[in-house]
Amino acid sequence: MSGNMNLTLKVWRQKNSSTSGKFVTYKAPGISPDMSFLEMLDVVNEDLVKKSEDPIQFDHDCREGICGMCSLVINGEPHGPKRATTTCQLHMRSFKDGDTIVIEPWRAAAFPVVKDLAVDRSAFDRIQQAGGYVSIGTGGVPDANEIAIPKVIADEAFNSATCIGCGACVAACKNASAMLFVSAKISQYAMLPQGQPERYARAEAMVLQMDDEGFGSCTNTYACEAQCPKEIKVTNIARMNREFFNAEFIKG
């Protein structure tokens, strides 16, 4: 078809976390530049199924850039070459006819491979469960809306809350640090009145759980911010450190 592309894919195939994996090369002919990256993989999988071959396993859900499921490293970059874009919102017009595209899963000890490109990110769930919530009674929606919050604070809290928990920050970090994710979840509550009563206990619990999960430390390379599809800022990490140190000081 006119205007379509012929691509070569080098895809990481791995049966499970206890077996070794390898790159397998596939041809992807006739790919429309208007397809999303996941639609392109769907087409490749349809061809594999027709050949009675095992389709490529990858995570996906909403395909609208808000659920954080589409966890792929594309040509060495989490979510691919476009900034502030999830894999499902990345279109094939970002590539050229004849390109070779290397596709890998998130690489982190805390994110073991389930199969092929899908990884287990339940470590993020356990960090959230450790303290990423408000457990005290805050009243109904009308009560919350009666609390005056300065716009600067409300905007900053909202920006932190836009984190979708995809794990790109972990995949981008040479230490596989989860500090951008954890700090965003801590910040969204620490700046709002409803989050004040538990702010220090929350910070301590979530940071300690992050360490227990085996994530690395932050060394300020800013790779996490550069690759975050929601452009979460590393200033959240500084806030998280202050919250944690205050929690330890008060406890001491």
Side-chain angles (χ1 to χ4, degrees), residues 185-221:
K185 297 305 179 184
I186 289 174
S187 291
Q188 73 182 69
Y189 295 114
M191 290 182 287
L192 297 177
Q194 294 88 344
Q196 297 305 305
E198 301 169 301
R199 63 184 295 182
Y200 297 127
R202 176 184 302 111
E204 181 183 40
M206 294 183 74
V207 169
L208 293 179
Q209 184 64 41
M210 173 182 67
D211 291 341
D212 288 344
E213 295 294 342
F215 291 103
S217 299
C218 174
T219 48
N220 297 314
T221 63

Side-chain angles (χ1 to χ4, degrees), residues 115-160:
K115 184 178 180 182
D116 297 338
L117 304 175
V119 299
D120 180 359
R121 287 174 293 173
S122 58
F124 272 11
D125 296 331
R126 290 188 289 273
I127 293 172
Q128 282 282 88
Q129 291 161 5
Y133 51 83
V134 174
S135 62
I136 63 170
T138 58
V141 173
D143 302 311
N145 289 338
E146 288 177 356
I147 302 174
I149 302 173
K151 186 176 187 304
V152 173
I153 299 299
D155 288 347
E156 185 69 17
F158 179 82
N159 290 338
S160 299

